[in-house]
Structure formats: structure tokens, C-alpha cells
């Protein structure tokens, strides 16, 4: 199917859902940056909005396929969170299951910058990081123990195909000596049924909105282990510290602010349990971003990649029981080979 045919079908759907007038031909602009979906900005008479449609094969070097039903899971996650935290997600305008797409409000970049871009430029705000941690804990707290949400978000096969296999099991294949450890972590995360999990809480999927953090890209949504969301997000501060070592202490400050605010809000289970699971999972996700199917794109220096690999492997071979202990090991790794007095 050509893109022109695709867009014609989308125009028909938009007219059906009354987002376009009968005689209207909107302007479509393809948005870039993601690997898992087609996303268009649509400029119409009455509004500007986005349309998102999941791809069956992700745009990465590895052979990575995933069910397109995750598009519906994302729309459902956004609707669910909007009932609790309406300012933390874009509004859903319509969903078209046969086309496998949905439309949502467009949030202009000039007023809603992407958190990742700010972090990479050294605009590192601990207060904002703490807000992300608090909102994430709110989502987990409000969904924990819900049989209805567990049934609605029973997307475990999808989560396996787009998170567990490409991140943990694929990395285990690259590190046979860690295969049992990584396999056990994969099995544990897969088996958990605790709360509603976003699955891709990365700074690239968080906007710095006027009313605080706005979460995007919840196509990995499932009912699972909330420790995955916490570890997945914290991982990005660690990765960026190897890209910009001169800002390492500032990234570490946001790591502490986010994790501290999150753990302080945990009341659906003992906080030390999720702290432990996060501390054990974090090095596996760190290793996955250099040796899994989705390596982080901004780390290109072989020495930096090897330093990430060594930190992650060390924490998998000799695991710690808390994020506080994890941070000490991160500090120790950062001090290796540093000239005296620096």
C-alpha cells in the first residue's frame, strides 16, 4: 500500500469521526524520531492534531517484529491515565481499530519541549525529574491491585515481544555467562501482575509541559511490574552520564530526585521490595542499550560503550539490593582512571 493510499484512508476516517469537513483536504506532515510507528501531524481547519499507527516491523537494524495491536493498548493507557491525571497525557480524539490508528491532541514543541533534548543539552532539572517520579508512582498506585485493569491490559505477549525479548533475552544471547541471570530477570518481569505499566518511560517520551510532565508513547502498556517503568527511566540518566561525563553529577542528582520521590510515594507494596527489583533490573536494561536489539543511538564512542558494558556486567555479577547501593557502584565506576585532583 502506498503512502497516498494510506493517507486517503486516514482522510476518510477523519471525516467519519467529524474531525474534517466533507470538502476538506488537510495537510499531513510525517513526524520523525520514532522507530515503532508512523506518526503524522495533521493541519485541519478546526484544529491541529496527531495520528499514530503502529508498524509491524520496527525501524531498527535488528529483525524486530511486534503486534500492531499495541496501538490500541496505547490509546487505552492514555484514556485510563487521563481519568486520574488529565494534564499528564495528550487527549485522545478518536480511535479507528480497523485502520489500527488513533488521533490525539498535538502539543507544539515550542511550548512542550522533549525532556530528552533538554537533558542532552545540559538542562538538567531535578524538580522536573521528581515530578516524573511522583506522577509515575501515582499511575502505579491508582492501578495496583485492580482486577479490571489486569484484564483490560493483559498484553503480556506483546510486552514479551517488544520489551522482554529484545532487551533481556537478546542481550543474554550476547553474554552467555549472564544468560541465567538475565533469563531469571526476564521471567520474573514477565510473570509479575502488580500495576499498570507504561513500558517505555524514556525522556524521549516525556514532554516538559506547562503543567508538568506529559507522557507519550505507551504502546508497550501492560499490567505487570512497576519496577520496570522506574528502572527503564533511571537507566537514561546513567547512559547520558557516559555521553556527557562532565555532567555526571547533575544526571545523578536527577536520578536521585526521581527515584527518591517515586519510592516515597509507594504504598501498594513495601517500598524496599520495588527498590530491590529496580536495583536488580537496572543493570540488565543498561547492558541491553549497548548489546540488545535497541542500542541507544547517541553512544558511539567505543570506550564509552565498553564502560557502560563493564558497569552493567559488574552489577549483574555482584548485584546490589537497593538504588542507594547502585548509586555507590556507579560513583565508583565513574572514578576509575580519573586523574588525581579531578
Amino acid at each position: 500500500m502506498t503512502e497516498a493510499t494510506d493517507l486517503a484512508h486516514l482522510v476518510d476516517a477523519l471525516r467519519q469521526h467529524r474531525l474534517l469537513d466533507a470538502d476538506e483536504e488537510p495537510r499531513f506532515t510525517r513526524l520523525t524520531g520514532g522507530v515503532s510507528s508512523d506518526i503524522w501531524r495533521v493541519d485541519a481547519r478546526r484544529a491541529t492534531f496527531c495520528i499514530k499507527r503502529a508498524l509491524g516491523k520496527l525501524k531498527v537494524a535488528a529483525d524486530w517484529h511486534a503486534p500492531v495491536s499495541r496501538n490500541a493498548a496505547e490509546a487505552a493507557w492514555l484514556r485510563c491515565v487521563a481519568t486520574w491525571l488529565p494534564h499528564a497525557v495528550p487527549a485522545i480524539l478518536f480511535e479507528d481499530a480497523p485502520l489500527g490508528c488513533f488521533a490525539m491532541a498535538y502539543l507544539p514543541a515550542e511550548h512542550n519541549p522533549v525532556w530528552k533534548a533538554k537533558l542532552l543539552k545540559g538542562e538538567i532539572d531535578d524538580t522536573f525529574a521528581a515530578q516524573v517520579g511522583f506522577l509515575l508512582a501515582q499511575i502505579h498506585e491508582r492501578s495496583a491491585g485492580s482486577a479490571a485493569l489486569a484484564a483490560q491490559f493483559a498484553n503480556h505477549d506483546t510486552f514479551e515481544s517488544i520489551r522482554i525479548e529484545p532487551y533481556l533475552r537478546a542481550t543474554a544471547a550476547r553474554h552467555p555467562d549472564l544468560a541465567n541471570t538475565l533469563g531469571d530477570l526476564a521471567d520474573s518481569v514477565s510473570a509479575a501482575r502488580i500495576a499498570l505499566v507504561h513500558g517505555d518511560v524514556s525522556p524521549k517520551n516525556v514532554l516538559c509541559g506547562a503543567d508538568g510532565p506529559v507522557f507519550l508513547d505507551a504502546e508497550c502498556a501492560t499490567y505487570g511490574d512497576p519496577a520496570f517503568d522506574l528502572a527503564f527511566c533511571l537507566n537514561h540518566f546513567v547512559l547520558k552520564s557516559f555521553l556527557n561525563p562532565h555532567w555526571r553529577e547533575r544526571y545523578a542528582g536527577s536520578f536521585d530526585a526521581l527515584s527518591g520521590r517515586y519510592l516515597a510515594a509507594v504504598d501498594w507494596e513495601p517500598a524496599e521490595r520495588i527498590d530491590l527489583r529496580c536495583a536488580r533490573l537496572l543493570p540488565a536494561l543498561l547492558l541491553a542499550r549497548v548489546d540488545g536489539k535497541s542500542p541507544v543511538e547517541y553512544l558511539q564512542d567505543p570506550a564509552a560503550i565498553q564502560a557502560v558494558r563493564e558497569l552493567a556486567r559488574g552489577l549483574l555479577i555482584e548485584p546490589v539490593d537497593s538504588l542507594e547501593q547502585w548509586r555507590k557502584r556507579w560513583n565508583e565506576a565513574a572514578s576509575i582512571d580519573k586523574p588525581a585532583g579531578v
Side-chain angles (χ1 to χ4, degrees):
M1 186 180 294
T2 66
E3 178 160 309
T5 304
D6 276 351
L7 297 183
H9 288 162
L10 291 175
V11 168
D12 289 342
L14 291 172
R15 288 176 178 152
Q16 180 182 350
H17 291 281
R18 300 185 179 181
L19 289 176
L20 298 179
D21 296 329
D23 64 340
E24 185 176 0
E25 293 295 335
R27 183 170 75 251
F28 286 83
T29 304
R30 184 180 287 274
L31 302 180
T32 60
V35 301
S36 62
S37 298
D38 284 328
I39 307 175
W40 293 273
R41 168 179 163 166
V42 183
D43 292 291
R45 282 177 187 159
R46 294 190 293 273
T48 295
F49 49 89
C50 286
I51 292 182
K52 183 171 184 180
R53 185 180 61 188
L55 296 171
K57 184 183 185 304
L58 278 64
K59 295 178 281 189
V60 296
D63 187 23
W64 184 356
H65 297 260
V68 295
S69 60
R70 66 190 191 276
N71 187 268
E74 176 174 6
W77 188 93
L78 292 170
R79 285 197 180 99
C80 186
V81 173
T83 65
W84 307 322
L85 305 165
H87 295 301
V89 291
I92 296 289
L93 304 180
F94 87 85
E95 183 179 3
D96 192 302
L99 282 180
C101 69
F102 66 85
M104 59 184 167
Y106 176 71
L107 301 175
E110 57 268 28
H111 303 301
N112 303 273
V114 177
W115 190 23
K116 174 182 177 179
K118 292 172 73 70
L119 289 172
L120 288 174
K121 291 188 295 184
E123 298 177 20
I124 304 164
D125 182 349
D126 294 353
T127 299
F128 185 83
Q131 289 178 319
V132 172
F134 177 71
L135 291 179
L136 193 59
Q138 286 287 295
I139 294 166
H140 294 159
E141 188 273 331
R142 291 169 187 255
S143 61
S146 169
L149 290 177
Q152 182 183 1
F153 289 92
N155 304 322
H156 314 302
D157 290 345
T158 301
F159 197 77
E160 171 71 29
S161 68
I162 58 181
R163 278 297 171 264
I164 303 300
E165 192 283 326
Y167 281 78
L168 302 180
R169 302 196 197 281
T171 304
R174 294 281 304 274
H175 295 268
D177 62 319
L178 297 174
N180 289 339
T181 298
L182 291 167
D184 288 346
L185 284 168
D187 292 344
S188 176
V189 174
S190 293
R193 306 287 185 267
I194 300 170
L196 181 57
V197 173
H198 178 286
D200 196 4
V201 185
S202 161
K204 72 178 176 61
N205 295 327
V206 179
L207 303 181
C208 302
D211 296 312
V214 178
F215 295 95
L216 307 175
D217 215 4
E219 62 185 40
C220 303
T222 192
Y223 203 81
D225 189 350
F228 187 91
D229 277 348
L230 180 59
F232 200 88
C233 191
L234 293 176
N235 191 29
H236 287 272
F237 297 120
V238 183
L239 289 163
K240 288 172 179 59
S241 77
F242 286 92
L243 175 70
N244 297 311
H246 49 292
W247 293 331
R248 194 199 70 82
E249 289 298 331
R250 296 173 62 198
Y251 290 130
S254 282
F255 180 109
D256 291 341
L258 193 154
S259 59
R261 190 67 183 88
Y262 178 94
L263 292 172
V266 171
D267 66 357
W268 60 89
E269 63 176 298
E272 58 268 20
R273 288 187 191 170
I274 198 166
D275 190 11
L276 169 63
R277 296 199 307 276
C278 184
R280 296 289 175 86
L281 181 58
L282 182 52
L285 294 176
L286 183 62
L287 188 60
R289 296 316 300 264
V290 294
D291 288 333
K293 286 188 177 180
S294 182
V296 65
E297 85 288 351
Y298 52 75
L299 274 186
Q300 299 292 328
D301 176 31
I305 292 171
Q306 183 58 25
V308 169
R309 186 177 290 123
E310 290 175 0
L311 173 61
R313 282 183 53 84
L315 281 156
L316 287 165
I317 293 168
E318 297 181 11
V320 295
D321 296 337
S322 69
L323 290 171
E324 182 180 2
Q325 295 172 13
W326 207 100
R327 279 276 282 109
K328 290 178 181 177
R329 295 278 289 275
W330 181 17
N331 286 341
E332 291 167 2
S335 67
I336 294 174
D337 297 329
K338 184 180 288 187
V342 175

